[in-house]
Amino acid sequence: MALSGLLIGAIIDCTRFSLSALSQKSILRRMGYGVELIVWALLGALTFYILFTIKGGEWRLVDPLAQILGIFLYEAVFQPYFRFFGRVFIFLIIKPIIGIIKLIKNIIVGTFKLVIRIILIIFLPFRKIYNKFLKKHFRKFYTKVRRTIFKKS
């Protein structure tokens, strides 16, 4: 149970660190307390699952004390090491993945914008003709419709 307390301390610290690393506009950061509450609830359920599988569902007073000991042990001894490995993990794995995703997104959006610009350049000579035709015929149609709808009886 002390080991589970150590892992709970590490997971909660990782959750807090990850939420603080998000941008201010992120929905997860704005709902940080709710996310942390959900993580605590999941960790509590996991603790009861561990108790059920290891001890057959028997709960003793020493179990929560051992878990609190593990949390305090994490805070006192292991927190700098876990944070260092967490930063290394973020810089070596998470940031390159996010960079690749952003690169793919930018390529797709840039290609789409290029195609739209080419289409607009092709249709540029027809725009003036279309606008003149539209203004002339649309005004006539609009006045006819308006006169029929709002006709005085």
Side-chain angles (χ1 to χ4, degrees):
M1 291 309 293
L3 182 64
S4 74
L6 186 75
L7 290 176
I8 285 174
I11 291 170
I12 291 297
D13 193 39
C14 178
T15 303
R16 289 178 182 166
F17 179 74
S18 300
L19 287 175
S20 67
L22 293 174
S23 71
Q24 295 285 346
K25 296 179 182 179
S26 173
I27 193 165
L28 287 176
R29 182 156 183 183
R30 284 187 264 149
M31 296 173 27
Y33 292 117
V35 171
E36 190 171 337
L37 186 65
I38 290 170
V39 169
W40 273 107
L42 291 174
L43 289 172
L46 182 67
T47 299
F48 281 113
Y49 178 72
I50 290 171
L51 277 172
F52 184 74
T53 56
I54 292 177
K55 295 187 174 187
E58 293 181 17
W59 184 82
R60 297 191 178 147
L61 184 62
V62 75
D63 294 329
L65 293 176
Q67 202 166 25
I68 291 171
L69 171 75
I71 292 172
F72 286 150
L73 185 67
Y74 169 77
E75 291 286 332
V77 178
F78 294 109
Q79 188 177 31
Y81 304 112
F82 273 93
R83 285 194 175 180
F84 172 74
F85 288 120
R87 275 190 240 119
V88 168
F89 178 76
I90 287 173
F91 285 130
L92 292 180
I93 295 176
I94 302 296
K95 288 208 178 205
I97 291 172
I98 291 173
I100 290 170
I101 290 171
K102 283 183 179 180
L103 177 69
I104 291 171
K105 180 190 139 210
N106 287 340
I107 289 172
I108 291 171
V109 168
T111 306
F112 186 70
K113 284 182 180 180
L114 179 67
V115 168
I116 295 295
R117 286 182 182 163
I118 290 172
I119 291 171
L120 288 176
I121 289 173
I122 291 172
F123 286 120
L124 188 65
F126 302 106
R127 201 160 112 195
K128 288 187 179 183
I129 298 170
Y130 178 72
N131 283 338
K132 285 184 181 182
F133 176 78
L134 185 68
K135 284 181 184 178
K136 182 179 177 183
H137 292 292
F138 183 71
R139 282 186 185 168
K140 286 180 182 179
F141 176 74
Y142 178 70
T143 22
K144 285 181 183 178
V145 170
R146 197 175 69 193
R147 285 181 185 164
T148 57
I149 292 176
F150 300 109
K151 191 182 221 181
K152 294 183 181 179
S153 355

